[in-house]
Amino acid sequence: MPSSEPVVETFRVRRKFPGGEPSSLFDDGMHAEVLTRWQRGWSLARGWIDYSSTDGVTTVNIGEPDRRVEYVTTSEHAATAVKLAQTDGHPPGTSWLAIAADDPAAIAPLELLRTEWLMTIALADHPIHPVPPPYRLEVTARPAVIDAHIYGYGELAASGRMTVLRSDAIADMIYTTPAHRHRGLAKATMTALTQAAHHQSATTGLLSASCEGRSLYHSLGWTTLTNLVVARTPVPSPV
């Protein structure tokens, strides 16, 4: 991992908004700061620790066959990230982008894959949901990386990871297997992770929520900061 990390500070998030929750709370300057904090933890969670930042764009070298690189930035620098993806020499469809932007048009002419949501919570406010019987929880807490696994009926039922970087705790890979869904296991996993991260002195939670996961995190008190548009270079249609 690069030896120089930006100093991470906690920040206050208003919990109630007239007319409902906004899609974006901050300007691009704040988006960039929070996005960087999320990216550092997300990269660590997945072992993608070869990254660098230039001209407002963070380049994460992933190296997987279908995802060679991912460019992370805000809408202010979207055009730069799009140009990098178009000219980096990687095969079509393997250069990805994650852009904090309200308008998916920011990634044109690349292929829009999905929209996610960058969310946050004060860990002290996170609700507690115990693991329901007959399931059992195992937590492995190492410095900077926490893993939670819930087992039941002879198999792994749910799991998740949270990285801790200074005061931030970044959740990732929260998953419940189909046969064990709708039993509160995701909430129990998030409880275990946030409690362990709080024990390591983290105060602020960050995550990128999928369309399926957003309602779960919202029910736990997480607040949306901004949309996160995920795209990639186009794959030519078969002739």
Side-chain angles (χ1 to χ4, degrees):
M1 178 178 291
S3 58
S4 59
E5 290 273 14
V7 176
V8 179
E9 303 290 346
T10 58
F11 58 95
R12 294 184 180 274
V13 177
R14 293 170 293 170
R15 301 302 299 274
K16 296 181 180 180
F17 309 93
E21 184 182 58
S23 61
S24 176
L25 301 181
F26 306 117
D27 59 21
D28 269 334
M30 182 63 80
H31 281 163
E33 189 260 345
V34 177
L35 190 66
T36 295
R37 290 159 55 184
W38 165 78
Q39 177 268 314
R40 298 296 192 258
W42 167 74
S43 293
L44 178 60
R46 301 193 178 207
W48 299 337
I49 57 175
D50 179 9
Y51 53 79
S52 60
S53 298
T54 305
D55 297 329
V57 179
T58 296
T59 303
V60 182
N61 294 304
I62 296 173
E64 297 178 357
D66 59 351
R67 196 176 187 180
R68 301 292 180 85
V69 67
E70 184 149 347
Y71 301 104
V72 181
T73 191
T74 63
S75 58
E76 179 183 2
H77 302 286
T80 299
V82 169
K83 184 176 181 180
L84 287 170
Q86 292 176 309
T87 60
D88 61 15
H90 294 307
T94 67
S95 294
W96 288 44
L97 292 87
I99 300 179
D102 292 331
D103 185 4
I107 54 86
L110 302 189
E111 177 188 353
L112 175 65
L113 294 176
R114 59 184 177 270
T115 297
E116 299 182 354
W117 292 268
L118 193 61
M119 305 183 77
T120 189
I121 194 172
L123 296 186
D125 295 340
H126 204 284
I128 296 175
H129 291 272
V131 178
Y135 294 97
R136 61 182 178 84
L137 169 71
E138 291 186 5
V139 176
T140 303
R142 298 163 284 159
V145 180
I146 302 165
D147 287 300
H149 297 88
I150 296 178
Y151 296 90
Y153 302 97
E155 61 184 8
L156 177 65
S159 61
R161 174 168 289 181
M162 184 168 273
T163 56
V164 178
L165 296 178
R166 298 175 175 85
S167 59
D168 288 331
I170 299 87
D172 192 35
M173 299 184 290
I174 310 301
Y175 182 74
T176 303
T177 59
H180 299 276
R181 290 175 182 169
H182 309 297
R183 302 183 187 183
L185 299 186
K187 291 181 178 181
T189 299
M190 289 299 297
T191 295
L193 291 172
T194 54
Q195 287 184 329
H198 204 201
H199 184 71
Q200 292 191 14
S201 299
T203 58
T204 302
L206 293 170
L207 59 78
S208 176
S210 65
C211 184
E212 296 80 8
R214 189 186 187 193
S215 59
L216 164 70
Y217 303 124
H218 191 271
S219 73
L220 293 172
W222 291 71
T223 299
T224 301
L225 297 175
T226 182
N227 294 349
L228 197 62
V229 177
V230 180
R232 69 179 181 184
T233 48
V235 178
S237 301
V239 178

